Amino acid sequence: MTMCDTRKAFSDQAWTLTPCIVWPWAKKPNGYRQVYRAGTTMLVHRVMYELTKGPIPEGLQLDHLCRNRACINPEHLEAVTHRENQLRGNTFLALNPAKTHCPQGHPYDEANTKIKRRSTTGKPYRQCRACLREHERLRVRKTRSD
């Protein structure tokens, strides 16, 4: 598909016009859409971004703000780091940082949160200070009763 053909396909009325622009052809199993351009298969949302906003900056990837992988609306695409993209998504990596309270309902705020590092990996994790105090209180109480 030449650049002229690509522009014609992008302006074609065959696709769904909603807040998301869904490319109706060449769906990959993971939900992304693809197009053959410049002798290679490319992801359509990347082509659309480059046609409308310029090259994707080095080291960045496109985040679908609408969370719809089939969407190629350039207004729904933002160039972000891999980590930012992961944290914004519905991934396991994004779950813990998004939590605002511990399992017992205490807030993860500056005063009630202790940041520790795992001894094996050195990666940081949060601990609730209120829960730590309660755990220590119960431990001391059990020790004294023995």
Side-chain angles (χ1 to χ4, degrees), residues 94-108:
L95 292 178
N96 281 333
K99 292 178 183 173
T100 59
H101 290 75
C102 78
Q104 282 65 45
H106 306 119
Y108 279 132

Side-chain angles (χ1 to χ4, degrees), residues 1-3 6 35-42 47 50-51:
M1 182 178 277
T2 67
M3 182 65 103
T6 303
V35 64
Y36 190 78
R37 177 175 179 241
T40 187
T41 301
M42 300 178 70
V47 173
E50 291 177 351
L51 285 172

Side-chain angles (χ1 to χ4, degrees), residues 4-130:
C4 185
D5 293 337
T6 303
R7 287 184 194 275
K8 181 184 179 317
F10 281 119
S11 65
D12 194 349
Q13 294 300 309
W15 46 11
T16 307
L17 296 176
T18 64
C20 287
I21 300 172
V22 177
W23 184 261
W25 306 286
K27 180 180 178 183
K28 293 181 69 171
N30 63 6
Y32 289 106
R33 307 304 166 105
Q34 59 190 8
V35 64
Y36 190 78
R37 177 175 179 241
T40 187
T41 301
M42 300 178 70
L43 296 174
V44 182
H45 67 283
R46 294 177 63 87
V47 173
M48 186 64 149
Y49 183 93
E50 291 177 351
L51 285 172
T52 58
K53 296 187 177 185
I56 300 166
E58 184 72 30
L60 299 184
Q61 57 187 229
L62 296 181
D63 179 24
H64 285 85
L65 301 174
C66 58
R67 315 275 26 106
N68 180 359
R69 290 180 174 180
C71 178
I72 62 167
N73 184 344
E75 296 305 313
H76 293 190
L77 302 171
E78 182 179 5
V80 297
T81 64
H82 176 72
R83 177 156 177 78
E84 180 67 24
N85 198 10
Q86 293 293 309
L87 290 174
R88 288 179 175 182
N90 298 324
T91 64
F92 180 74
L93 178 68
L95 292 178
N96 281 333
K99 292 178 183 173
T100 59
H101 290 75
C102 78
Q104 282 65 45
H106 306 119
Y108 279 132
D109 57 18
E110 200 169 317
N112 188 48
T113 305
K114 183 174 183 177
I115 307 294
K116 294 185 78 176
R117 294 202 171 267
R118 299 199 186 287
S119 59
T120 54
T121 63
K123 292 185 179 181
Y125 66 96
R126 300 179 291 184
Q127 283 191 313
C128 172
R129 290 182 190 271

